[in-house]
Amino acid sequence: MEFHLLGPLEVLHEGERLALGGVRQRAVLGFLLLHANTPVTTRRLIDALWDDNEPATARKILQNAVSGLRRTLAADGGQARSAPRSLPARERGYVLHVPPHRLDLARYARLVERGRARLVAGAWEPAARLLQEALALWRGHALADLIEAGVAWPELTALEEDRWEVLGDKITAELMLGRLAEVTAELSVVTAAEPARERLCAQLMLALYQSGRQADALERYRRTRSAVVEELGALPGRELRDLERAILVQSPVIGSPGAAARLFAPRPPGQAVAGVAGVAGVAGRLPAGPARGFVPGRR
């Protein structure tokens, strides 16, 4: 079986998509996959499913959903080596065992870990390739179908934020490889949709400036400044303002080949993304991204 949650939830058995039941049953599966190979208490599952609106029959509904999932996950009779063991009950909850190579989130975490390690080492080509492979696993928002049904788990927010950080890490590697046209094309689209993403805006500004498009870089700053003021009611961070000033005075620091590594200096991976505790059970914790800060002229 293959389990996909970096997009709408789906389970494939021998290439065929399995019917996963109603929203409640799919939500149980989605939450257990987010914490695969890690025991999840009944209390935590109930809170995830109903938050503060727990019905009197919550435990019974949960038990029925788990029973339905057990039947679904036994689609091959439990004979395939790739199939997870049935959802065993723990003293106060459940655990879903999934081989890491059968879960897209686990593969993503591993690729990100390897890519960020290459980034820290200054191996730009493999870093860009591995991080692009990780990003290619996404098919939309994580558990997009459950989000549409009203699910709003902090784990999903953490994953989405990490996805943006991974994109920024990949862009850093590509800037160091001199792929200015590719970076400009990609980030022009991304920042049009997400104008308040300061790190990505800064990377686009740098790519434009190094392409000889100073005026366009400054115009991009103005757009992001307006978006940040409108959305957050505050000015952009000092780092982005410093980059604008460096562009205005045509600082040689930001025109040098190694500017991206200095401005977006990575730190060694290894820390967990807050809220994604269950990833430890399938592929090690999702590593935190490089530091967001960037200061023109110094590390």
Side-chain angles (χ1 to χ4, degrees):
M1 285 186 181
E2 292 280 344
F3 297 83
H4 300 157
L5 54 81
L6 299 180
L9 177 63
E10 64 178 18
V11 179
L12 303 179
H13 175 233
E14 297 181 349
E16 296 293 327
R17 187 179 289 108
L18 298 182
L20 300 177
V23 171
R24 200 71 67 197
Q25 187 166 300
R26 287 187 286 118
V28 172
L29 177 59
F31 197 79
L32 289 173
L33 285 173
L34 280 171
H35 304 278
N37 303 312
T38 301
V40 178
T41 65
T42 298
R43 179 73 265 162
R44 192 175 180 192
L45 275 167
I46 289 174
D47 289 342
L49 293 176
W50 288 284
D51 198 13
D52 295 329
N53 299 309
E54 174 188 344
T57 57
R59 289 180 180 271
K60 182 61 177 177
I61 294 173
L62 175 59
Q63 290 169 359
N64 290 339
V66 170
S67 296
L69 287 174
R70 284 175 174 151
R71 290 191 295 271
T72 298
L73 299 181
D76 61 357
Q79 300 302 311
R81 294 179 61 188
S82 62
R85 297 196 294 274
S86 61
L87 263 166
R90 288 294 184 257
E91 183 179 353
R92 294 186 300 276
Y94 305 91
V95 58
L96 179 59
H97 296 285
V98 183
H101 64 286
R102 297 295 182 181
L103 177 61
D104 60 357
L105 175 59
R107 295 196 299 273
Y108 167 78
R110 179 57 180 155
L111 286 166
V112 169
E113 181 181 21
R114 291 170 58 199
R116 283 174 168 162
R118 302 298 191 281
L119 191 67
V120 169
W124 313 119
E125 179 64 47
R129 175 176 51 79
L130 288 165
L131 294 173
Q132 179 56 44
E133 287 181 26
L135 291 167
L137 292 173
W138 288 75
R139 299 170 292 112
H141 293 297
L143 297 179
D145 53 327
L146 296 180
I147 291 175
E148 291 178 2
V151 164
W153 298 328
E155 291 90 343
L156 299 180
T157 301
L159 275 175
E160 292 290 343
E161 288 304 311
D162 188 69
R163 181 186 183 184
W164 289 115
E165 288 299 306
V166 171
L167 174 59
D169 296 342
K170 184 199 72 133
I171 294 297
T172 296
E174 292 182 335
L175 285 170
M176 291 303 299
L177 291 167
R179 298 174 181 172
L180 300 180
E182 293 89 337
V183 166
T184 298
E186 181 173 7
L187 289 189
S188 293
V189 174
V190 171
T191 58
E194 295 281 340
R197 294 274 172 188
E198 294 188 31
R199 185 187 186 201
L200 297 178
C201 169
Q203 291 174 319
L204 177 56
M205 288 168 62
L206 182 66
L208 289 167
Y209 180 78
Q210 291 187 342
S211 300
R213 299 169 58 183
Q214 180 183 17
D216 290 337
L218 293 172
E219 175 59 25
R220 174 54 56 183
Y221 171 79
R222 287 189 285 271
R223 292 181 189 177
T224 296
R225 183 184 186 279
S226 296
V228 171
V229 169
E230 181 178 349
E231 292 186 22
L232 305 178
L235 292 174
R238 178 180 59 81
E239 296 87 354
L240 192 62
R241 301 198 307 271
D242 286 349
L243 181 58
E244 182 214 18
R245 284 193 289 272
I247 291 173
L248 283 168
V249 302
Q250 298 184 0
S251 168
V253 171
I254 60 173
S256 64
R262 288 192 297 272
L263 301 183
F264 312 103
R267 65 170 181 260
Q271 298 179 3
V273 168
V276 193
V279 177
V282 292
R285 293 183 181 272
L286 280 172
R292 288 173 178 260
F294 49 95
V295 182
R298 65 182 177 86
R299 291 183 180 273

